[in-house]
């Protein structure tokens, strides 16, 4: 079963996608994990000391490396998995380039220890910055352990572009999850600073969907796994199998999606689009279904040699794969009802319903500067400002459930309800994070939420901040959390989804997170997901509160991303246009 490691012929080596293999600490872990899986391991243990860039190791019980070949394993373009490019058409392994170990060794202090199955003893070698500095024989169980210390110690410039250690560890959880789903028959364990963080025993079921469901239950709780919908389709040798999340499990990012092609974890806009198509209007725009897809494609009709990190693949026939995945996944979803209501109107309807002159309202951009805003006093004899204005004479109007029209002295202000609410919640959140804790609004029925493992990890980190915002949460064994209360001051029907969206929103944008902007990130993610949306109907009182609170913020002109919150139309401008001057 063990093939020997050989140097690729130069002409073969030159046609292997070249480039950076070890972009970040996570890539090093990914390569070592793939090597262990390629070696036929039944059990893999990952140990992290402090952070991935400080030290980590991957130990497996696979077929091992012959003592005489350890040095070769650290040499570029030396691999036991490929002899010629033609072999790519029959490829059954995750690796094939013979570049991972040498690339990692070049930027770290690496120790490689191995004992081939059937040998009586093993050997170890250590390298620093790619140079072998020590060799010894070693007593150990059959299998291989690779330890990587001080990653990027000799390339300080690279260190600067590294994500936060905590972010990198969360990404590692996603990686382990993905490969756990791809290889349900392999036991996976992760220890951080000696403490067990996860342990997924090999599935008892031999293979197929039964084993995958078992794995999903280990990853996300049996309750969550039980809700996943199974899909299957096959066409011309391509097989797709899937576990699809319910529409209400859709997330604000693509992080709930795992695509496995011939057991390789890949990114694929094509598969993402096919999945989205399958859900149709079951999911509102801007959200992404959660799902795991297992694709089996004949090796000859799949190009894995596209990208140095092997995260991308190319199908010989994109369209066929797209339609197979979209139709296979749509089938079991067809009986479900959309969990949201469609807003009547909307931008497209506006365009067709109005006469042609309506386009001309955009002729001149309105003035966007904010100059002291005076709401006109209530008409004489009406109720005091605190009471609700009489319904018959609304002072504010909601336009297309998106904009609030507010007459002001000397003109009219048009407020974008979502952007305005974002600004308000953002400032409020920052105040709560830096000062007095926000109050919680207790839920009548505490909500039980199954988070993903990376969301749970993030929750552990952000716990105190979330409490400061007004969340009342208790942890119920990873990855389940009980929501007892949510920050007071607004309504929200799905607290669990809100919590997940806020956590997911923390990862949006750049991969780098300086600790000092954590508060800013949390505040803007909270604001973005908790804010009322375009399409939400608002009452008079809600509109009034929103406008009042907007203009009480420090920067009413824009939301936290810099988008405009309101525009002002001057009465003078209207007079001029109507020829009244
Ligand atoms: P590739 O995986 O593309 O072949 P690598 O640089 O990752 O290249 O590894 C080089 C070679 O070292 C592999 O082809 C394999 O023979 C051997 N090897 C690496 N890791 C392991 C492992 N965990 N168990 C057994 N052999 C391994
Ligand atoms: Mg490899």
């Amino acid at each position: 079963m063990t093939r020997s490691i050989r140097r690729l012929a130069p002409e073969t080596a030159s046609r292997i996608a070249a480039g950076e293999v070890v972009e970040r600490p996570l890539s090093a872990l990914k390569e070592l994990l793939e090597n262990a899986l390629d070696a036929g391991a039944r059990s893999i243990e990952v140990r992290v000391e402090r952070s991935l860039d400080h030290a980590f190791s991957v130990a497996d019980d696979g077929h091992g490396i012959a003592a005489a070949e350890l040095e070769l394993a650290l040499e570029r373009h030396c691999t036991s998995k490929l002899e010629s490019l033609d072999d790519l058409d029959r490829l059954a392994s995750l690796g094939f380039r013979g570049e991972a170990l040498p690339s990692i060794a070049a930027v770290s202090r690496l120790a490689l220890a191995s004992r081939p199955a059937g040998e009586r003893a093993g050997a170890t070698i250590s390298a620093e910055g790619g140079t072998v500095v020590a060799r010894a024989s070693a007593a150990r169980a059959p299998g291989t352990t690779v330890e990587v210390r001080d990653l990027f110690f000799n390339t300080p410039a690279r260190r600067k572009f590294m994500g936060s250690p905590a972010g990198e560890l969360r990404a590692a959880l996603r990686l382990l999850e993905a490969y756990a789903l791809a290889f349900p028959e392999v036991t996976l364990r992760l220890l951080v600073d000696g403490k067990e963080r996860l342990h997924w025993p090999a599935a008892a079921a031999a293979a197929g969907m039964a084993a995958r469901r078992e794995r999903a239950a280990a990853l996300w709780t049996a309750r969550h796994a039980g809700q996943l919908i199974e899909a299957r389709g096959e066409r011309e040798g391509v097989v797709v199998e899937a576990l699809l999340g319910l529409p209400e499990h859709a997330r604000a990012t693509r992080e709930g999606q795992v695509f496995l092609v011939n057991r390789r974890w890949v990114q694929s806009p094509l598969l993402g689009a096919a999945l989205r198509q399958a859900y149709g209007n079951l999911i509102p725009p801007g959200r992404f279904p959660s799902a795991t897809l297992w694709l089996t494609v004949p090796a000859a009709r799949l190009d894995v040699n596209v990208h140095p990190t092997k995260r991308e693949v190319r199908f010989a026939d994109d369209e066929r794969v797209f339609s197979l995945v979209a139709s296979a996944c749509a089938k079991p979803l067809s009986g479900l009802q959309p969990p949201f209501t469609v807003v009547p109107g909307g931008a497209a309807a506006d365009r067709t319903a109005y006469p042609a002159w309506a386009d001309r309202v955009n002729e001149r951009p309105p003035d966007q500067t904010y100059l002291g805003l005076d709401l006109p006093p209530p008409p004489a004899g009406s109720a005091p400002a605190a009471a609700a204005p009489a319904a018959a004479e609304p002072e504010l109007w909601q336009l297309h459930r998106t904009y609030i029209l507010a007459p002001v002295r000397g003109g009219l202000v048009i407020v974008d309800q979502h952007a305005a609410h974002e600004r308000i919640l953002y400032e409020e959140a920052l105040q709560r994070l830096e000062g007095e804790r926000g109050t919680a609004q207790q839920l009548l029925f505490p909500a039980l939420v199954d988070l993903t493992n990376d969301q749970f990890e993030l929750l552990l980190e952000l716990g105190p901040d979330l409490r400061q915002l007004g969340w009342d949460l208790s942890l119920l064994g990873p990855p389940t959390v009980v929501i007892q209360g949510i920050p007071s001051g607004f309504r929200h029907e799905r607290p669990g989804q809100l919590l997940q969206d806020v956590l997911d929103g923390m990862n949006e944008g750049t991969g780098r997170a300086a600790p000092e902007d954590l508060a800013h990130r949390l505040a803007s993610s909270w604001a973005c997901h908790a804010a009322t949306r375009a399409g939400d109907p608002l009452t008079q009182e809600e509109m009034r509160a929103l406008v009042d609170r907007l203009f009480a913020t420090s920067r009413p002109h824009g939301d936290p991303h810099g988008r405009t919150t309101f525009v002002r139309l001057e009465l003078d401008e209207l007079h001029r246009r109507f020829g009244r001057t």
Side-chain angles (χ1 to χ4, degrees):
M1 163 151 183
T2 317
R3 282 210 277 166
S4 55
I5 304 181
R6 290 160 311 250
R7 198 169 282 113
L8 287 175
E11 60 275 19
T12 305
S14 68
R15 302 206 15 216
I16 297 285
E20 200 54 73
V21 185
V22 197
E23 296 167 322
R24 51 189 274 199
L26 180 74
S27 349
L29 174 61
K30 173 179 172 286
E31 293 294 338
L32 297 189
L33 190 62
E34 291 185 348
N35 279 347
L37 292 166
D38 280 347
R42 307 301 300 199
S43 178
I44 300 175
E45 186 173 284
V46 178
R47 285 177 175 267
V48 179
E49 249 176 68
R50 280 198 346 234
S51 60
L52 286 178
D53 58 302
H54 179 69
F56 75 94
S57 64
V58 177
D60 68 58
D61 60 354
H63 60 56
I65 306 172
E69 292 179 0
L70 287 179
E71 280 84 357
L72 213 48
L74 298 189
E75 245 181 72
R76 280 195 75 198
H77 299 310
C78 290
T79 175
S80 58
K81 302 170 192 174
L82 193 75
E83 270 181 67
S84 70
L85 276 184
D86 293 343
D87 290 343
L88 279 177
D89 286 348
R90 299 180 281 271
L91 192 72
S93 57
L94 298 167
F96 53 86
R97 316 164 66 237
E99 289 220 83
L101 283 182
S103 306
I104 299 166
V107 292
S108 70
R109 298 183 225 275
L110 182 143
L112 171 61
S114 193
R115 173 178 158 198
E119 294 289 329
R120 311 187 88 233
T124 69
I125 56 169
S126 345
E128 279 193 23
T131 311
V132 175
V133 293
R135 167 179 247 285
S137 58
R140 55 158 296 141
T144 303
T145 302
V146 183
E147 186 188 72
V148 178
R149 284 190 173 272
D150 304 325
L151 206 50
F152 304 135
F153 80 97
N154 53 354
T155 52
R158 291 268 286 287
R159 288 194 67 85
K160 282 202 204 117
F161 293 96
M162 255 166 30
S164 76
E168 211 61 6
L169 202 57
R170 279 200 304 281
L173 286 173
R174 291 200 67 215
L175 167 77
L176 290 171
E177 255 184 36
Y179 275 115
L181 290 161
F183 293 80
E185 75 278 20
V186 177
T187 296
L188 286 169
R189 243 179 122 215
L190 168 70
L191 292 97
V192 180
D193 294 330
K195 238 182 79 196
E196 183 173 277
R197 284 294 258 283
L198 47 92
H199 184 185
W200 298 319
M209 287 314 268
R212 291 167 182 164
R213 270 197 184 274
E214 226 180 296
R215 232 328 123 79
L219 261 51
W220 304 315
T221 75
R223 183 178 41 247
H224 183 91
Q227 294 178 317
L228 299 173
I229 300 167
E230 222 164 291
R232 190 178 192 285
E234 178 165 6
R235 204 178 293 162
E236 292 159 44
V238 178
V239 180
V240 59
E241 294 168 285
L243 284 177
L244 306 170
L246 293 173
E248 48 266 49
H249 294 150
R251 292 171 62 178
T253 67
R254 288 173 215 275
E255 291 194 8
Q257 306 183 344
V258 177
F259 302 147
L260 303 165
V261 179
N262 294 355
R263 300 187 130 195
R264 183 188 301 281
W265 184 36
V266 300
Q267 288 166 327
S268 168
L270 177 86
L271 294 177
L275 193 61
R276 185 66 193 80
Q277 162 130 335
Y279 278 78
N281 72 349
L282 288 170
I283 288 179
R287 296 191 69 82
F288 303 93
S290 291
T292 306
L293 298 185
W294 290 264
L295 259 85
T296 313
V297 182
R301 282 164 54 196
L302 183 73
D303 187 356
V304 291
N305 186 21
V306 182
H307 193 266
T309 65
K310 301 171 286 164
R311 280 297 315 271
E312 287 164 32
V313 291
R314 205 175 291 136
F315 300 104
D317 190 343
D318 274 1
E319 258 165 66
R320 204 163 294 164
V321 171
F322 179 92
S323 76
L324 170 66
V325 172
S327 66
C329 294
K331 229 176 293 154
L333 295 172
S334 63
L336 304 178
Q337 294 299 317
F340 64 99
T341 46
V342 178
V343 181
D350 290 353
R351 230 171 289 127
T352 49
Y354 283 103
W357 56 257
D359 287 340
R360 300 190 61 189
V361 296
N362 290 329
E363 254 174 20
R364 188 171 180 278
D367 184 4
Q368 297 189 357
T369 44
Y370 167 62
L371 310 158
L373 189 89
D374 256 339
L375 289 172
S382 76
E393 36 177 41
E395 292 172 306
L396 302 177
W397 297 272
Q398 193 183 19
L399 182 67
H400 296 300
R401 294 188 178 175
T402 301
Y403 298 108
I404 299 168
L405 307 189
V408 293
R409 194 161 284 143
L412 172 72
V413 163
I414 306 173
V415 176
D416 179 315
Q417 65 188 48
H418 175 69
H421 203 196
E422 255 192 277
R423 162 57 61 188
I424 295 164
L425 291 177
Y426 174 72
E427 292 206 357
E428 196 178 83
L430 279 185
Q431 276 162 16
R432 288 177 174 189
L433 288 171
E434 282 152 17
E436 199 165 322
R437 174 188 289 195
T439 50
Q441 166 187 341
Q442 296 303 315
L443 298 179
L444 203 51
F445 302 104
L448 205 62
V449 196
D450 296 321
L451 301 176
T452 64
N453 289 296
D454 54 316
Q455 286 171 342
F456 191 82
E457 197 67 18
L458 186 56
L459 185 79
L460 292 180
E461 203 182 316
L462 293 177
D465 296 319
L466 289 167
R467 251 191 304 284
Q468 203 60 31
L469 283 185
W471 286 91
D472 185 356
L473 306 168
S474 47
L475 306 181
L476 195 88
T480 306
V481 58
V482 184
I483 305 179
Q484 265 122 4
I486 60 175
S488 59
F490 70 103
R491 55 193 161 124
H492 205 283
E493 281 92 33
R494 296 171 175 275
Q497 183 170 82
L498 177 61
L499 179 64
Q500 290 188 294
D501 286 354
V502 171
L503 292 171
D504 285 349
M506 293 293 293
N507 294 326
E508 274 160 27
T510 63
R512 304 183 60 199
E516 58 273 19
D517 68 20
L518 200 72
H520 158 81
R521 271 173 176 251
L522 178 57
S524 51
S525 177
W526 159 251
C528 175
H529 295 293
T532 182
R533 318 230 137 239
D536 291 343
L538 298 176
T539 64
Q540 266 309 301
E541 299 87 272
E542 286 169 331
M543 284 192 280
R544 184 159 293 280
L546 201 76
V547 175
D548 286 349
R549 285 167 71 197
L550 173 66
F551 290 106
T553 61
S554 68
R555 287 190 198 134
H557 338 62
D559 75 1
H561 323 288
R563 217 160 55 80
T564 301
T565 47
F566 73 92
V567 296
R568 183 182 170 118
L569 283 185
E570 301 298 333
L571 210 49
D572 285 349
E573 166 69 12
L574 287 178
H575 291 334
R576 204 164 42 242
R577 291 219 199 172
F578 285 106
R580 278 180 179 275
T581 43

